Amino acid sequence: MQKKLICILFICSLLPILARAEPPKIRTHLPANSVAMSDDALATFFNPAGLGTRRALNLYYLRTYHSDLPSDDALFISVPSGGFSVEFANASENINFTRYSLSAGHHFGNALYWGTSYSWVNSDNRFYDRYNSLSIGLMYRRRYFSIGAIGRDLNRPKLFNQKLGRTYDFGIALRPGTWRTTLSIDMQKTQDVSGIDLSYAVEIRPIRELMLRGAYNSDRSFDIRFGINIGNIGIGTANCFDENRKTNTGVGYFQFSSASITKPIPRKRLFLDTGLQHLDTILRIAKWDEDVAGVLIRINGSEYGMGQFQEIRDAIMEFRESGRVVMCYITDCSTGDYIVASACDQILIHPSAGVRLIGLRSERSFYKGALDKLGIRAHLEHIGEYKSASEPFTRSNMSDPHRENLNSILDDLYDQLTTDIATARGWTPEYVKQLIDQGPFTANQARKLKIVDELIYTDGLDHRANKLAESKVNLVNVNEYLNSGLYPHDWTVPKPKIAIIKAEGMMLTGESFTDPFTGTKVMGAETIARTIRYTRQNEAIKAVVLRIDSGGGLVIAADIIWNELINLTITKPLIVSMADVAASGGYYIAAPADVIVAEPGTITGSIGVIGGKYSFKGLYEKLGIKKEIIKRGAHADFYSNYSDFPQDEQEIVQKQINEIYEDFTSKVARGRTQLTKADVDKVARGRVWTGRQAKEKGLVDELGGLSKALSIAKKRAGLDNEVVEIVRLPKLPWITQLLGNIQLISSRMFQMSDIYQSFGHELFGETPSLKLLNIIKKHRIFLMIPYEINVGS
């Protein structure tokens, strides 16, 4: 009897809820929206597929201020591809609940998105606690129309022991040529409920700061929404009226986006404050921004080569052509840095700084004498009289071809250097050479000779920016500027992509990594090959730019990459952009390209091969160490460091090198269709060229930087008039980088036991020679550039 009485009392307590025509309340009130339009944090409920559009971080806080049960609160947060919400609601005077939702959106195909949402409830009521809901949404979006659909409560959750019917929403939204006006129609069908609910809506944004939305529903109710957006934040209100124009609900909201919703009207134009890193990219963006009056470039010494200095200079000149001004501020300046500084409208310098305008040099150390004293013999063979990478270990001075080639390179680079500076500063190349012969300079000496325009401390930079721009400007850090992009109102669909694959550093097998001791980059063949395969298989990537900055490495590493590039060229355009160096193995992987682009000062060519080994027999004997070798097989001690190469083994090495050289030149001729194999041999033989010389010889097609290579890639892919997305690869996961560094540390600890490590530090300080010694015990044949050019440091 007592149990029956409790049941009757409980049922009576539910009667106010069950007596309603509407189903029990299971969420807070939200501003009305179309399932075809929602792509911000509210998409967590309306259509999680909208999260797949990967908008910026977005947040909504909503509060119900008018309804039968007011004071509901809700918080919705979204990040690219994901969303989360928590809603605090009143279902009756006795029932409060918290609803949580977790959503994810994904891109599928060219303009199709799908998403899922899972919701659950926490309350003091056991019937509400049992509620959990699964929803799946779809969205197809083009620039001026969008279609959305979602199935809610697909698992038919129970509420008060009653299964809720599945609800299906379908919406279409159209934009008549602009994002400022959007028309939408939404239909909703609930399982086991007769009829279809329709909603017709129009949303107008007369200006970015203002949003108005009105909707008329098939039950003759209507909704009105009003919002104001300023910068990163927005506030608004949404009200629902019944057929008698009586307010049913009212919801106010606060919105935040990490990307500015509107662009604040600047009191002053912007003057960007930046360094040399990524400057060419920054200038390409800023030159289209009317709010940018100019750029301040801080020069504090850099490690670029001639090619990248020229690339930055070209970007500055192009930026100035747009009517903006560029000012540089020097605290440390080499000859190469001055190539950049000279392209600016005004050159300022710290009073205690200096200008090392001293020209170019290339230093070669020769270790044969030291090796002889130590009892070490270098058995290194090469092909091509200009392939001089082995000379430091086999000679005591430069060979005539080596000296001839190096002088030719320096002559051409020096001519480019002096001409570039003279053109920018209004001097003659002869006068620039006179200045170089007088350098280096203190700040005061540089000012007197008009190498710089003014001596100034940093606290005066604002005033100088105002003066140069001839108006009041705000000096803004470039990172702050780049992070100030507007929240896109356009229904952007995935743009066609062009991939930039960075092929930097010494070429080895395995994964790419960076030397933790020196910062030296290593190009792992497996990493680059995997990246090339990815770009070939990714249909969204329409062309590839291979950005090479490498002096070569192992033959096998270069050939692994070459093979993947050949496969890539079958399906997609491949453009090579050479940075400072793309020589020997670096040119090997450039050969398959449809077009090769290099700066005039890029170092390239060096088509040749070297190989061999070192014999430490004499050193061992001086140290009292004696080895006895017992072997089976005539050449079992071929790679032993205790034996020399007899004549027959030297012939074996030379045959191997000849075969690889033949293969190298054949592959270059295959890629450079305008050159025969004989033509390639004439410009090969290990000879190094500047980019300008290489163009004359047919090894390079165009002179320019990465920007030009991208333009050619767009044209080759048929994307001339389209906006493309640039994808930079490879993106190394942190675990790969860590493992690579651990591997390097381990190998170095092992190598410390080698006797030749006693003179290795000197070799490593100047050239990649120590790396060469480290790997030569395993790999005997490689493609390496013989020297480096120092731009004034």
Side-chain angles (χ1 to χ4, degrees), residues 98-146:
T98 304
R99 173 174 172 144
Y100 301 93
S101 297
L102 189 62
S103 302
H106 310 275
H107 173 246
F108 182 77
N110 222 5
L112 183 64
Y113 306 89
W114 69 277
T116 57
S117 180
Y118 179 76
S119 301
W120 68 98
V121 167
N122 182 26
S123 78
D124 293 331
N125 184 289
R126 62 190 180 92
F127 290 101
Y128 266 90
D129 277 349
R130 293 174 181 173
Y131 174 85
N132 57 82
S133 173
L134 175 66
S135 302
I136 297 178
L138 293 172
M139 184 179 288
Y140 179 80
R141 178 168 283 186
R142 303 305 295 176
R143 185 174 181 184
Y144 295 122
F145 76 94
S146 181

Coordinates of all heavy atoms in Angstrom, one line a residue, residues 98-146:
T98 N 21.9 20.0 -16.1 CA 23.0 20.5 -16.9 C 23.2 19.5 -18.0 O 23.4 18.3 -17.9 CB 24.3 20.5 -16.0 OG1 24.1 21.3 -14.9 CG2 25.5 21.1 -16.8
R99 N 23.3 20.1 -19.2 CA 23.4 19.3 -20.4 C 24.8 19.6 -21.0 O 25.2 20.8 -21.2 CB 22.4 19.7 -21.5 CG 22.6 19.0 -22.8 CD 21.4 19.2 -23.7 NE 21.7 18.7 -25.1 CZ 20.8 18.2 -25.9 NH1 19.5 18.0 -25.5 NH2 21.1 17.8 -27.1
Y100 N 25.5 18.6 -21.3 CA 26.9 18.7 -21.9 C 26.8 18.1 -23.4 O 26.1 17.1 -23.6 CB 27.9 17.9 -21.1 CG 28.0 18.3 -19.7 CD1 27.3 17.7 -18.7 CD2 28.9 19.3 -19.3 CE1 27.4 18.0 -17.4 CE2 29.0 19.7 -18.0 CZ 28.2 19.1 -17.0 OH 28.4 19.5 -15.7
S101 N 27.5 18.8 -24.2 CA 27.6 18.3 -25.6 C 29.1 18.4 -26.1 O 29.8 19.3 -25.8 CB 26.7 19.1 -26.6 OG 25.4 19.0 -26.2
L102 N 29.5 17.3 -26.8 CA 30.8 17.3 -27.4 C 30.6 17.0 -28.9 O 30.0 16.0 -29.2 CB 31.6 16.2 -26.7 CG 33.1 16.1 -27.0 CD1 33.8 17.4 -26.6 CD2 33.7 14.9 -26.4
S103 N 31.2 17.8 -29.7 CA 31.0 17.7 -31.1 C 32.3 17.7 -31.9 O 33.3 18.3 -31.4 CB 30.1 18.9 -31.6 OG 28.9 18.9 -31.0
A104 N 32.3 17.2 -33.1 CA 33.5 17.2 -34.0 C 33.0 17.3 -35.4 O 32.0 16.7 -35.8 CB 34.3 16.0 -33.8
G105 N 33.7 18.1 -36.2 CA 33.4 18.3 -37.6 C 34.6 18.0 -38.5 O 35.7 18.2 -38.1
H106 N 34.3 17.4 -39.6 CA 35.4 17.0 -40.5 C 35.2 17.4 -41.9 O 34.0 17.5 -42.4 CB 35.6 15.5 -40.4 CG 35.7 14.9 -39.0 ND1 36.9 14.9 -38.3 CD2 34.7 14.5 -38.2 CE1 36.6 14.4 -37.1 NE2 35.3 14.1 -37.0
H107 N 36.2 17.6 -42.7 CA 36.1 17.9 -44.1 C 36.2 16.6 -44.9 O 37.0 15.7 -44.6 CB 37.3 18.8 -44.5 CG 37.3 19.0 -46.0 ND1 38.4 18.6 -46.7 CD2 36.5 19.6 -46.8 CE1 38.2 18.9 -48.0 NE2 37.0 19.5 -48.1
F108 N 35.3 16.5 -45.8 CA 35.3 15.2 -46.6 C 35.1 15.6 -48.1 O 34.0 16.2 -48.5 CB 34.2 14.3 -46.1 CG 34.1 13.0 -46.9 CD1 34.9 12.0 -46.6 CD2 33.1 12.8 -47.9 CE1 34.9 10.8 -47.3 CE2 33.0 11.6 -48.5 CZ 33.9 10.6 -48.2
G109 N 36.1 15.4 -48.9 CA 36.0 15.8 -50.3 C 36.2 17.3 -50.5 O 36.8 17.9 -49.7
N110 N 35.7 17.8 -51.6 CA 36.0 19.2 -52.0 C 35.2 20.2 -51.3 O 35.8 21.2 -50.9 CB 35.7 19.3 -53.5 CG 36.8 20.1 -54.2 OD1 37.8 20.4 -53.6 ND2 36.6 20.4 -55.5
A111 N 33.9 20.0 -51.0 CA 33.1 21.0 -50.3 C 32.1 20.4 -49.4 O 31.1 21.0 -49.0 CB 32.4 21.9 -51.3
L112 N 32.4 19.1 -49.0 CA 31.4 18.4 -48.1 C 32.0 18.2 -46.7 O 33.2 17.9 -46.6 CB 31.2 17.0 -48.7 CG 30.2 16.1 -48.0 CD1 28.8 16.7 -48.1 CD2 30.2 14.7 -48.7
Y113 N 31.2 18.4 -45.7 CA 31.6 18.3 -44.3 C 30.6 17.4 -43.6 O 29.4 17.3 -44.0 CB 31.6 19.7 -43.6 CG 32.4 20.7 -44.4 CD1 31.8 21.5 -45.3 CD2 33.7 20.9 -44.1 CE1 32.5 22.5 -46.0 CE2 34.4 21.9 -44.8 CZ 33.8 22.7 -45.7 OH 34.6 23.6 -46.4
W114 N 31.1 16.7 -42.6 CA 30.2 15.9 -41.8 C 30.7 16.1 -40.3 O 31.8 16.4 -40.0 CB 30.2 14.5 -42.2 CG 31.5 13.7 -41.9 CD1 32.6 13.7 -42.7 CD2 31.8 12.9 -40.8 NE1 33.6 12.9 -42.1 CE2 33.1 12.4 -40.9 CE3 31.1 12.5 -39.7 CZ2 33.7 11.6 -40.0 CZ3 31.7 11.7 -38.7 CH2 33.0 11.2 -38.9
G115 N 29.7 15.9 -39.4 CA 30.0 16.1 -38.0 C 29.1 15.2 -37.1 O 28.1 14.8 -37.5
T116 N 29.6 15.0 -35.9 CA 28.8 14.2 -35.0 C 28.8 15.0 -33.7 O 29.7 15.8 -33.3 CB 29.5 12.9 -34.7 OG1 30.8 13.1 -34.2 CG2 29.5 12.0 -35.9
S117 N 27.7 14.8 -32.9 CA 27.5 15.4 -31.6 C 27.0 14.4 -30.6 O 26.0 13.7 -31.0 CB 26.6 16.7 -31.7 OG 26.5 17.3 -30.5
Y118 N 27.5 14.4 -29.4 CA 27.0 13.5 -28.4 C 26.7 14.4 -27.2 O 27.5 15.2 -26.7 CB 28.0 12.5 -28.0 CG 27.5 11.5 -26.9 CD1 26.6 10.5 -27.2 CD2 28.0 11.7 -25.6 CE1 26.1 9.7 -26.2 CE2 27.6 10.8 -24.6 CZ 26.6 9.8 -24.9 OH 26.2 9.0 -23.9
S119 N 25.5 14.2 -26.6 CA 25.0 15.0 -25.5 C 24.6 14.1 -24.3 O 24.1 13.0 -24.6 CB 23.8 15.9 -25.9 OG 24.2 16.8 -26.9
W120 N 24.8 14.5 -23.1 CA 24.4 13.8 -21.9 C 24.0 14.8 -20.9 O 24.3 16.0 -21.0 CB 25.4 12.8 -21.5 CG 26.7 13.5 -20.9 CD1 27.0 13.7 -19.6 CD2 27.8 14.0 -21.6 NE1 28.2 14.3 -19.5 CE2 28.7 14.5 -20.7 CE3 28.1 14.1 -23.0 CZ2 29.9 15.1 -21.1 CZ3 29.3 14.7 -23.4 CH2 30.2 15.1 -22.5
V121 N 23.2 14.4 -19.9 CA 22.6 15.3 -18.9 C 23.0 14.8 -17.5 O 23.1 13.6 -17.2 CB 21.1 15.3 -19.0 CG1 20.4 15.9 -17.8 CG2 20.7 16.0 -20.3
N122 N 23.2 15.8 -16.7 CA 23.5 15.5 -15.2 C 22.5 16.3 -14.4 O 22.3 17.5 -14.6 CB 24.9 16.0 -14.9 CG 25.3 15.7 -13.5 OD1 24.7 14.8 -12.8 ND2 26.2 16.5 -12.9
S123 N 21.8 15.6 -13.6 CA 20.7 16.3 -12.7 C 20.5 15.5 -11.5 O 21.0 14.4 -11.3 CB 19.5 16.5 -13.5 OG 18.7 15.3 -13.6
D124 N 19.6 16.0 -10.6 CA 19.1 15.3 -9.4 C 18.0 14.4 -9.8 O 17.5 13.7 -8.9 CB 18.7 16.3 -8.3 CG 19.9 17.0 -7.8 OD1 21.1 16.5 -7.9 OD2 19.8 18.2 -7.4
N125 N 17.5 14.4 -11.0 CA 16.4 13.6 -11.4 C 16.9 12.4 -12.2 O 17.5 12.5 -13.2 CB 15.4 14.4 -12.3 CG 14.2 13.7 -12.6 OD1 14.2 12.7 -13.4 ND2 13.0 14.0 -12.0
R126 N 16.5 11.2 -11.7 CA 17.1 10.0 -12.4 C 16.6 9.8 -13.8 O 17.3 9.2 -14.6 CB 16.8 8.7 -11.5 CG 15.3 8.4 -11.4 CD 15.1 7.3 -10.4 NE 13.7 6.9 -10.2 CZ 13.1 6.0 -10.8 NH1 13.8 5.3 -11.7 NH2 11.9 5.7 -10.6
F127 N 15.4 10.3 -14.1 CA 14.9 10.2 -15.5 C 15.8 11.1 -16.4 O 16.1 10.7 -17.6 CB 13.5 10.6 -15.6 CG 12.6 9.6 -14.9 CD1 12.1 9.8 -13.6 CD2 12.3 8.4 -15.5 CE1 11.2 8.9 -13.0 CE2 11.4 7.4 -14.9 CZ 10.9 7.7 -13.6
Y128 N 16.1 12.3 -16.0 CA 17.0 13.1 -16.8 C 18.4 12.6 -16.9 O 19.0 12.7 -18.0 CB 17.0 14.5 -16.2 CG 16.0 15.5 -16.8 CD1 14.7 15.6 -16.3 CD2 16.3 16.2 -18.0 CE1 13.8 16.4 -16.9 CE2 15.4 17.1 -18.5 CZ 14.1 17.2 -18.0 OH 13.2 18.0 -18.6
D129 N 18.9 12.0 -15.9 CA 20.2 11.4 -15.9 C 20.4 10.3 -16.9 O 21.5 10.0 -17.4 CB 20.6 10.9 -14.5 CG 21.1 12.0 -13.6 OD1 21.3 13.1 -14.1 OD2 21.2 11.7 -12.4
R130 N 19.3 9.7 -17.3 CA 19.4 8.6 -18.3 C 19.4 9.1 -19.7 O 19.7 8.3 -20.7 CB 18.2 7.7 -18.1 CG 18.2 6.9 -16.8 CD 16.9 6.1 -16.7 NE 16.8 5.4 -15.4 CZ 15.7 4.7 -15.0 NH1 14.6 4.7 -15.8 NH2 15.8 4.1 -13.9
Y131 N 19.2 10.4 -19.9 CA 19.2 11.0 -21.2 C 20.6 11.1 -21.8 O 21.5 11.6 -21.2 CB 18.5 12.3 -21.2 CG 18.5 13.0 -22.6 CD1 17.5 12.8 -23.5 CD2 19.5 13.9 -22.9 CE1 17.6 13.4 -24.7 CE2 19.6 14.6 -24.1 CZ 18.6 14.3 -25.0 OH 18.6 14.9 -26.2
N132 N 20.8 10.6 -23.0 CA 22.0 10.8 -23.8 C 21.5 10.8 -25.3 O 20.7 10.0 -25.7 CB 23.1 9.9 -23.5 CG 22.7 8.4 -23.7 OD1 22.7 7.9 -24.9 ND2 22.3 7.7 -22.7
S133 N 22.2 11.6 -26.1 CA 21.7 11.8 -27.5 C 22.8 11.8 -28.5 O 23.9 12.4 -28.2 CB 20.9 13.1 -27.6 OG 20.6 13.4 -29.0
L134 N 22.6 11.2 -29.6 CA 23.6 11.1 -30.7 C 23.0 11.8 -31.9 O 21.9 11.5 -32.3 CB 24.0 9.7 -31.0 CG 24.9 9.5 -32.2 CD1 26.3 10.1 -31.9 CD2 25.1 8.0 -32.6
S135 N 23.8 12.7 -32.5 CA 23.4 13.4 -33.7 C 24.5 13.4 -34.7 O 25.7 13.4 -34.4 CB 23.0 14.9 -33.4 OG 22.0 15.0 -32.4
I136 N 24.1 13.3 -36.0 CA 25.0 13.3 -37.1 C 24.5 14.3 -38.1 O 23.4 14.4 -38.5 CB 25.1 11.9 -37.8 CG1 25.6 10.9 -36.7 CG2 26.0 12.0 -39.0 CD1 25.7 9.5 -37.3
G137 N 25.5 15.2 -38.6 CA 25.1 16.2 -39.5 C 26.0 16.2 -40.8 O 27.1 15.7 -40.8
L138 N 25.4 16.8 -41.9 CA 26.1 16.9 -43.1 C 26.0 18.3 -43.6 O 25.0 19.0 -43.3 CB 25.6 16.0 -44.2 CG 25.7 14.5 -44.0 CD1 24.9 13.7 -45.0 CD2 27.2 14.1 -44.1
M139 N 27.0 18.8 -44.4 CA 26.9 20.1 -45.0 C 27.7 20.1 -46.3 O 28.8 19.6 -46.4 CB 27.5 21.2 -44.0 CG 27.3 22.6 -44.6 SD 28.0 23.8 -43.4 CE 26.8 23.8 -42.1
Y140 N 27.0 20.7 -47.3 CA 27.7 20.9 -48.6 C 27.7 22.4 -48.9 O 26.6 23.0 -48.9 CB 27.0 20.1 -49.7 CG 27.6 20.3 -51.1 CD1 28.8 19.6 -51.4 CD2 27.1 21.2 -52.0 CE1 29.4 19.8 -52.6 CE2 27.8 21.4 -53.2 CZ 28.9 20.7 -53.5 OH 29.5 20.9 -54.8
R141 N 28.8 22.9 -49.2 CA 28.9 24.4 -49.2 C 29.7 24.8 -50.4 O 30.8 24.3 -50.7 CB 29.6 24.9 -47.9 CG 29.8 26.4 -47.9 CD 30.1 26.9 -46.5 NE 28.9 26.9 -45.6 CZ 28.9 27.3 -44.4 NH1 30.0 27.8 -43.8 NH2 27.8 27.4 -43.7
R142 N 29.2 25.8 -51.1 CA 29.9 26.5 -52.2 C 29.9 28.0 -51.8 O 29.4 28.3 -50.7 CB 29.3 26.3 -53.5 CG 29.1 24.9 -54.0 CD 30.4 24.1 -54.0 NE 31.4 24.6 -54.9 CZ 32.6 24.2 -55.1 NH1 33.1 23.2 -54.3 NH2 33.4 24.7 -56.0
R143 N 30.4 28.8 -52.7 CA 30.6 30.2 -52.2 C 29.2 30.9 -52.0 O 29.1 31.7 -51.0 CB 31.3 31.0 -53.3 CG 31.6 32.4 -52.9 CD 32.5 33.1 -53.9 NE 32.8 34.5 -53.5 CZ 33.5 35.3 -54.2 NH1 34.0 35.0 -55.4 NH2 33.8 36.6 -53.7
Y144 N 28.2 30.6 -52.8 CA 26.9 31.4 -52.7 C 25.7 30.5 -52.3 O 24.6 31.0 -52.2 CB 26.6 32.1 -54.0 CG 27.6 33.1 -54.3 CD1 28.3 33.1 -55.5 CD2 27.9 34.2 -53.5 CE1 29.3 34.1 -55.8 CE2 28.8 35.2 -53.7 CZ 29.5 35.1 -54.9 OH 30.4 36.1 -55.2
F145 N 26.0 29.2 -52.0 CA 24.9 28.4 -51.4 C 25.4 27.4 -50.5 O 26.6 26.9 -50.7 CB 24.0 27.9 -52.6 CG 24.6 26.7 -53.3 CD1 24.3 25.4 -52.8 CD2 25.4 26.9 -54.3 CE1 24.9 24.3 -53.5 CE2 26.0 25.8 -55.0 CZ 25.7 24.5 -54.6
S146 N 24.5 26.9 -49.6 CA 24.9 25.9 -48.6 C 23.7 25.1 -48.3 O 22.6 25.5 -48.2 CB 25.5 26.6 -47.4 OG 25.9 25.6 -46.4

